[in-house]
């Protein structure tokens, strides 16, 4: 073989080997960096852009796609210890002409974290209202979506700022009393009795605890490699002290049943989506909401746990779109009548 041709193959092989070796090294040595790159790539692929908004000296980080149009904008509030990118699995199945906004909740990811801030559910609702005003989202009533802790905040927001929203979707929301204790509530009681409250199941510090948390939150059993589990833990560990403080804030008497205390004030059409096999917040909460909110549509997803957004993203996106289409059709019929 000609020496120049041989050199060309060597150079080409070396060029291909470098990114492959870099990927393998990242996977083995810095899995947390790989996870961040993954979210960055997914945002770009779905057309989501990251922006910041300031209210006095407070900064909100959010992602968005599309512009306000004839259909209501959609604001999405994530759950405890998550971030705006958790909604990407749903965004994938939503039309690109819808105006979508996903915000980091107070103290999470790119949004300001302050020891002086009020992290109660009502305090978070107030902060989200400030964010809404910052980006002029409430020029027209918008559709509000919240899951878990974010669902609690969304429900309280709907009660406290009814003029801002036209409709509401609550996905496995916290803030409700339950006649049936979930697996998570039972675990918390056991930890309180043993005075080991620092070992909160939703705040993992090891790959093994992360695996246990995923099993608790999901009915579907995802096979997650050990390195990815380590990466997920590495991303969270710097924030675990904050998560403990936040958790104790949202389960105390002031916030524990915030949604329940405010649901009688919710006067907009409301959609409730819940996983039948939710082990974090018992599905009986759906009946509590449907009995108290006049125009409430309940959807229980079989073979689904607490992480509805991750386990059933296509179904959840379709349910939201069908609900909005139903409301649009009802409004048109009222106008024609």
């Amino acid at each position: 073989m000609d020496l120049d041709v041989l050199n060309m193959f060597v150079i080409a092989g070396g060029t291909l080997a470098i990114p492959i070796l870099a990927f393998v090294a990242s996977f083995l040595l810095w899995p947390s960096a790989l996870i961040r790159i993954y979210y960055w790539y997914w945002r770009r692929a779905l057309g989501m852009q990251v922006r910041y908004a300031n209210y006095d000296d407070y900064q909100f980080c959010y992602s968005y796609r599309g512009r306000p149009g004839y259909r209501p904008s959609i604001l999405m509030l994530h759950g405890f210890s998550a971030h705006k990118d958790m909604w990407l699995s749903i965004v994938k199945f939503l039309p690109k002409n819808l105006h979508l906004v996903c915000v980091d909740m107070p103290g999470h990811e790119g949004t300001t974290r302050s020891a002086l801030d009020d992290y109660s559910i009502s305090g978070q609702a107030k902060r989200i209202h400030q964010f809404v005003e910052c980006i002029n989202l409430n020029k027209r009533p918008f559709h509000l979506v919240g899951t878990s802790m974010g669902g609690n905040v969304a429900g309280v927001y709907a009660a406290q700022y009814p003029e801002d929203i036209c409709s509401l979707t609550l996905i496995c929301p916290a803030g409700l009393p339950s006649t049936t204790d979930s697996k998570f509530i039972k675990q918390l009681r056991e930890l309180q009795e043993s005075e080991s409250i620092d070992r909160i199941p939703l705040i993992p510090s090891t790959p093994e605890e992360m695996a246990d948390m995923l099993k608790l939150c999901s009915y579907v059993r995802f096979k997650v490699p050990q390195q990815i589990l380590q990466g997920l833990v590495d991303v969270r560990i710097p924030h675990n002290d904050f998560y403990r403080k936040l958790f104790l804030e949202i389960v105390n008497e002031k916030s524990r049943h915030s949604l329940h205390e405010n649901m009688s004030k919710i006067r907009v059409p409301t959609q409730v989506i819940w996983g039948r096999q939710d082990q974090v917040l018992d599905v009986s909460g759906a009946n509590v909401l449907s009995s108290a909110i006049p125009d409430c549509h309940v959807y229980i997803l079989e073979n689904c746990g607490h992480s509805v957004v991750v386990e059933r993203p296509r179904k959840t996106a379709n349910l939201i779109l069908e609900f909005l289409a139903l409301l649009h059709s009802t409004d048109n019929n009222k106008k024609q009548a």
Side-chain angles (χ1 to χ4, degrees):
M1 180 181 291
D2 187 270
L3 187 60
D4 290 339
V5 175
L6 180 61
N7 286 338
M8 182 181 68
F9 276 111
V10 170
I11 292 170
T15 303
L16 289 173
I18 290 172
I20 293 172
L21 289 173
F23 176 84
V24 172
S26 297
F27 183 76
L28 296 175
L29 302 176
W30 306 289
S32 60
L34 197 61
I35 290 169
R36 290 189 178 94
I37 292 170
Y38 167 76
Y39 281 124
W40 172 82
Y41 175 79
W42 203 7
R43 281 197 306 267
R44 287 184 62 86
L46 294 175
M48 297 293 287
Q49 300 183 55
V50 176
R51 292 290 183 272
Y52 296 88
N54 293 295
Y55 184 90
D56 294 334
D57 59 347
Y58 196 89
Q59 176 180 267
F60 296 96
C61 180
Y62 67 101
S63 60
Y64 78 97
R65 187 175 74 184
R67 294 185 178 183
Y70 71 95
R71 289 192 287 186
S73 299
I74 300 178
L75 173 61
M76 299 180 169
L77 309 182
H78 64 73
F80 171 78
S81 76
H83 48 76
K84 60 186 175 298
D85 291 331
M86 70 160 286
W87 294 108
L88 292 175
S89 55
I90 297 263
V91 169
K92 178 181 178 181
F93 298 106
L94 293 174
K96 290 188 176 180
N97 60 350
L98 268 180
H99 181 222
L100 308 175
V101 179
C102 307
V103 63
D104 285 327
M105 297 293 283
H108 289 74
E109 199 75 5
T111 292
T112 296
R113 178 179 302 172
S114 169
L116 302 176
D117 214 8
D118 178 6
Y119 291 106
S120 68
I121 296 301
S122 61
Q124 292 192 60
K126 182 179 178 180
R127 280 295 188 196
I128 295 302
H129 181 60
Q130 292 171 352
F131 167 70
V132 164
E133 291 190 319
C134 275
I135 65 170
N136 295 316
L137 190 63
N138 54 353
K139 276 189 172 181
R140 291 180 55 198
F142 59 88
H143 180 71
L144 182 59
V145 181
T147 184
S148 197
M149 179 193 78
N152 195 353
V153 176
V156 172
Y157 189 103
Q160 293 183 351
Y161 307 100
E163 67 283 354
D164 281 3
I165 69 171
C166 59
S167 47
L168 178 67
T169 294
L170 303 176
I171 304 173
C172 303
L176 299 169
S178 176
T179 54
T180 305
D181 283 348
S182 65
K183 180 179 179 179
F184 174 62
I185 297 300
K186 290 176 182 177
Q187 288 179 345
L188 280 185
R189 288 213 173 104
E190 291 172 2
L191 290 173
Q192 286 176 331
E193 290 171 4
S194 64
E195 298 183 351
S196 301
I197 195 61
D198 282 345
R199 294 176 53 236
I200 299 168
L202 297 181
I203 309 178
S205 298
T206 67
E208 292 72 27
E209 290 176 357
M210 174 59 71
D212 289 341
M213 187 189 82
L214 295 178
K215 289 177 184 177
L216 178 68
C217 293
S218 302
Y219 175 79
V220 177
R221 291 292 176 255
F222 298 103
K223 293 182 179 180
V224 184
Q226 183 74 8
Q227 287 301 121
I228 295 298
L229 290 173
Q230 183 64 60
L232 292 170
V233 170
D234 290 345
V235 169
R236 294 171 64 98
I237 281 179
H239 309 288
N240 276 356
D241 287 342
F242 166 72
Y243 293 153
R244 290 189 188 92
K245 175 185 175 182
L246 173 62
F247 182 82
L248 295 175
E249 183 67 46
I250 62 178
V251 299
N252 71 14
E253 291 186 8
K254 182 179 178 182
S255 295
R256 186 181 307 161
H257 297 147
S258 290
L259 178 54
H260 185 254
E261 292 162 1
N262 284 272
M263 62 186 183
S264 62
K265 301 175 187 176
I266 298 175
R267 289 290 178 264
V268 295
T270 300
Q271 175 186 52
V272 176
I273 304 173
W274 217 303
R276 175 79 70 184
Q277 286 75 28
D278 191 337
Q279 298 182 96
V280 178
L281 300 170
D282 191 77
V283 68
S284 59
N287 292 329
V288 175
L289 290 167
S290 63
S291 63
I293 301 175
D295 192 3
C296 188
H297 305 248
V298 175
Y299 304 88
I300 306 300
L301 304 185
E302 301 294 339
N303 301 321
C304 184
H306 186 67
S307 301
V308 171
V309 174
V310 176
E311 295 179 76
R312 305 290 289 279
R314 185 193 295 269
K315 180 65 175 178
T316 304
N318 287 339
L319 285 173
I320 292 173
L321 292 174
E322 289 168 8
F323 181 58
L324 293 176
L326 174 65
L327 298 181
H328 181 70
S329 174
T330 303
D331 286 344
N332 284 342
N333 290 337
K334 287 179 180 179
K335 289 175 183 178
Q336 291 175 3

